[in-house]
Amino acid sequence: MVQGNAAYSAFGLSLAFEDLSPPGEWKVVTHKADLTVTTASRDLVERSFACRPGLGWTGWIDGGRFSADVGQDGDLMFTHPSGVHRLRAEGMVLQCAPTDAESSDWWRIVLDAVLVTVALWQGREALHAGSVLMDGRAVAIAAASGGGKSTLVHELVGRGHLLLADDVTVIDRQLMAYPGAPVMTLPELILQTSERSPIVRLPDETWVEAPVADKPAPLAALVVLDRRAGELTLCAPMATTLAPLLDAMLTFPLSPERELGRFDLASRICDGSALYELVADVTVPPAELADLVESVAARP
């Protein structure tokens, strides 16, 4: 339950929700927030915004086009059919103008996409990977969209490993992985046997509440999951590590300086964390894959 003037944490951001109650199993972590999330009219959010072309990114989320644009004054504008949101460069305020304030759809965009982008804008990097805690260390699972990453992460959480982040894991130059928002997306087949509270139902999957770790942890391992028909099950150290790692990193902001920074961070991860490739047929059950992840995570 979100409380009055308390502050919360997600993706390395310290957050205060002004007169708002976001979905999720939030815990108070501090009483000082760096970023205040509040609501505003769409007119106020969009007023006087001048875009700097070539610096933002676009994608599709929940069937709608999502865009993150950089303004001339350093503001960020986020646009999706569920709402328009603006990060003010001065005062660190995120103004949200949901299309339907009674719906939770706009919160999904804010908690999953907007806050991640703000963390990147503030200098952190991120892996398109879910992650869990094992013996106090972060183990991240990366896969292509629809590749079974969420199913495997859920299997690991069901075994008692605390969720760190559902879909995107934010990291810093010291190779610390930060907890995400206390929510996760589950395939519909898994939800049928889960006791988690649904927030938003989507085609074939549902956004649910889920507790996450309350502090960052060192990134011990990254497992890249690759499920293909006819493949034998194998989990082994990556023969070539840098290219798959760069493929898993998010690429915002788009600037030469940040590209060099990502390359440097990828090199640090290669030196400081274990990287594995987990190949399996599409019919291999998640429990078998989780056994392999636990076995490699236990290695010194």
Side-chain angles (χ1 to χ4, degrees):
M1 177 70 66
V2 170
Q3 304 175 21
N5 296 320
Y8 307 85
S9 179
F11 309 111
L13 303 170
S14 179
L15 307 167
F17 298 100
E18 187 176 278
D19 300 321
L20 292 169
S21 293
E25 298 191 17
W26 294 88
K27 297 178 182 177
V28 177
V29 295
T30 178
H31 288 279
K32 181 180 179 182
D34 301 321
L35 176 65
T36 298
V37 183
T38 186
T39 55
S41 68
R42 188 177 186 118
D43 177 70
L44 179 61
V45 169
E46 295 180 328
R47 187 180 302 163
S48 303
F49 182 82
C51 179
R52 294 167 62 189
L55 293 180
W57 69 276
T58 61
W60 288 86
I61 303 177
D62 297 348
R65 184 178 183 272
F66 175 84
S67 64
D69 295 301
V70 181
Q72 297 288 351
D73 55 0
D75 285 10
L76 294 183
M77 180 75 79
F78 307 95
T79 306
H80 184 265
S82 64
V84 177
H85 319 288
R86 184 172 183 173
L87 176 70
R88 295 285 183 175
E90 74 284 357
M92 287 303 294
V93 174
L94 178 64
Q95 296 175 320
C96 300
T99 302
D100 179 2
E102 299 301 318
S103 170
S104 293
D105 294 20
W106 71 277
W107 272 119
R108 178 169 160 83
I109 301 304
V110 169
L111 299 184
D112 277 6
V114 172
L115 293 184
V116 169
T117 308
V118 172
L120 295 175
W121 185 246
Q122 291 190 350
R124 292 187 172 88
E125 301 296 345
L127 298 168
H128 189 192
S131 54
V132 298
L133 288 184
M134 294 187 180
D135 295 326
R137 303 183 303 167
V139 176
I141 311 294
S145 180
K149 172 183 70 214
S150 295
T151 303
L152 179 52
V153 169
H154 181 262
E155 174 70 25
L156 291 167
V157 170
R159 296 183 176 204
H161 303 295
L162 186 60
L163 179 68
L164 189 69
D166 173 41
D167 188 58
V168 174
T169 300
V170 168
I171 53 178
D172 62 20
R173 290 180 59 81
Q174 285 70 48
L175 305 189
M176 297 298 289
Y178 288 81
V183 291
M184 68 185 307
T185 302
L186 296 182
E188 193 63 33
L189 185 61
I190 291 180
L191 184 68
Q192 295 173 9
T193 59
S194 173
E195 297 180 355
R196 301 190 183 279
S197 301
I199 305 169
V200 175
R201 292 190 179 274
L202 306 161
D204 302 323
E205 58 186 15
T206 299
W207 198 46
V208 302
E209 297 184 347
V212 296
D214 57 7
K215 59 183 178 180
L219 181 65
L222 170 66
V223 179
V224 178
L225 176 62
D226 185 5
R227 307 196 69 168
R228 298 191 299 253
E231 289 288 341
L232 296 177
T233 304
L234 175 66
C235 188
M238 288 185 190
T240 303
T241 56
L242 197 56
L245 183 53
L246 288 170
D247 286 343
M249 297 183 74
L250 303 188
T251 56
F252 176 84
L254 295 173
S255 68
E257 294 80 11
R258 288 299 289 269
E259 288 299 307
L260 288 174
R262 287 184 197 102
F263 188 88
D264 176 70
L265 181 57
S267 299
R268 290 171 179 263
I269 295 174
C270 290
D271 291 338
S273 306
L275 281 80
Y276 296 93
E277 182 179 24
L278 175 53
V279 180
D281 185 86
V282 293
T283 61
V284 175
E288 185 175 335
L289 301 179
D291 288 342
L292 292 170
V293 172
E294 288 180 325
S295 67
V296 299
R299 296 174 187 174

